């Protein structure tokens, strides 16, 4: 089976977010340490052409994790995920299905539902990572059948913190509020999907 290819902008926005959090020297050191020299000062172009192998995207995520070590990585990955959402909204909002989505006049619950639904559609249509939104009654579920963050990985607990951060920031962007976002299942940890549980009400 041919490898899933992600748009150039997906890896570009991740690397820009890494640079914001780690600085350009830190980013180069991290890429060098992981044998990913080919990306140093050489980010994919800002376009939606599907030219990034999903394994390259996953290799960059693993490189960040390895650089910080297992205990330090999560907080940084969440920050990188939040920053990557901001770059995505600025540069290529279509990646997350959020180009031209009108939220302003919607009530809070519809802002959240519309944002998560758009996020799932963008993941599916643009990132080629099948994703859907489910209503679990007291929470929303974002469910991914393929995941560039943990592609090819094996871990003992959920590890897709950059996506968790991106979801947190998407809801903050949409509503001005903070929501609880927890990855409950992860393909790297043996589940068939990567699944996030998202509170329906803002964090009190
Ligand atoms: Zn994952």
């Amino acid at each position: 089976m041919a490898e899933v290819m992600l748009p150039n902008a997906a890896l570009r926005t991740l690397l820009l977010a890494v640079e914001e959090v780690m600085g350009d020297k830190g980013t180069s050191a991290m890429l060098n340490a992981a044998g990913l020299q080919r990306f140093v000062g050489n980010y994919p172009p800002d376009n939606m052409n599907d030219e990034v192998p999903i394994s390259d995207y996953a290799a960059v995520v693993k490189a960040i994790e390895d650089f910080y070590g297992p205990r330090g990585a999560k907080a940084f990955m969440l920050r990188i995920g939040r920053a990557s959402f901001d770059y995505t909204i600025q540069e290529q909002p279509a990646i997350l299905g959020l180009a031209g989505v009108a939220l302003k006049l919607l009530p809070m619950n519809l802002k959240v539902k519309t944002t998560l639904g758009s996020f799932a559609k963008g993941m599916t249509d643009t990132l080629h990572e099948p994703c859907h939104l489910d209503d679990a009654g007291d929470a929303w579920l974002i469910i991914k059948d393929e995941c560039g963050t943990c592609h090819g990985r094996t871990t003992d607990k959920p590890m897709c913190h950059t996506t968790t951060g991106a979801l947190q920031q998407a809801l903050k962007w949409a509503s001005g509020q903070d929501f609880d976002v927890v990855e409950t299942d992860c393909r790297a940890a043996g589940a068939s999907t990567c699944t996030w549980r998202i509170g329906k009400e803002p964090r009190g």
Side-chain angles (χ1 to χ4, degrees), residues 144 146-151 159-160 163 183 185-188 193-196:
K144 293 186 69 176
E146 171 61 282
C147 177
T149 304
C150 66
H151 180 82
M159 58 150 283
C160 306
T163 307
E183 189 183 17
D185 296 291
C186 182
R187 289 164 56 78
T193 61
C194 291
T195 301
W196 286 262

Side-chain angles (χ1 to χ4, degrees), residues 93-94 97-103 173:
L98 290 169
V101 174
L103 297 168
W173 167 83

Side-chain angles (χ1 to χ4, degrees), residues 38-54:
R38 63 186 184 279
F39 295 121
V40 175
N42 182 36
Y43 298 171
D46 184 14
N47 66 44
M48 298 297 283
N49 299 347
D50 292 329
E51 292 171 347
V52 175
I54 193 168

Side-chain angles (χ1 to χ4, degrees), residues 85 103-104 106-113 115 167-180 198-203:
F85 175 84
L103 297 168
K104 241 187 200 121
L106 297 178
M108 177 68 77
N109 61 335
L110 280 180
K111 278 183 181 155
V112 171
K113 183 180 180 183
T115 301
L167 283 164
Q168 288 173 339
Q169 193 71 359
L171 293 175
K172 179 100 180 175
W173 167 83
S175 72
Q177 308 272 338
D178 293 310
F179 286 76
D180 283 319
I198 298 136
K200 286 195 169 175
E201 301 294 330
R203 208 185 284 163

Side-chain angles (χ1 to χ4, degrees), residues 59-143:
V60 171
V61 173
K62 180 167 190 312
I64 303 163
E65 252 183 62
D66 290 346
F67 195 75
Y68 284 116
R71 276 188 300 175
K74 182 175 177 180
F76 282 102
M77 305 301 273
L78 288 169
R79 278 176 62 191
I80 289 165
R82 290 196 288 267
S84 74
F85 175 84
D86 291 336
Y87 281 110
T88 303
I89 277 293
Q90 283 166 32
E91 296 204 353
Q92 297 285 355
I95 291 181
L96 296 175
L98 290 169
V101 174
L103 297 168
K104 241 187 200 121
L105 300 176
L106 297 178
M108 177 68 77
N109 61 335
L110 280 180
K111 278 183 181 155
V112 171
K113 183 180 180 183
T114 304
T115 301
L116 294 175
S118 302
F119 194 98
K121 189 171 177 351
M123 285 277 174
T124 304
D125 295 350
T126 311
L127 292 180
H128 318 300
E129 297 176 8
C131 179
H132 68 278
L133 177 65
D134 248 12
D135 188 342
D138 61 339
W140 296 109
L141 301 179
I142 283 279
I143 302 170

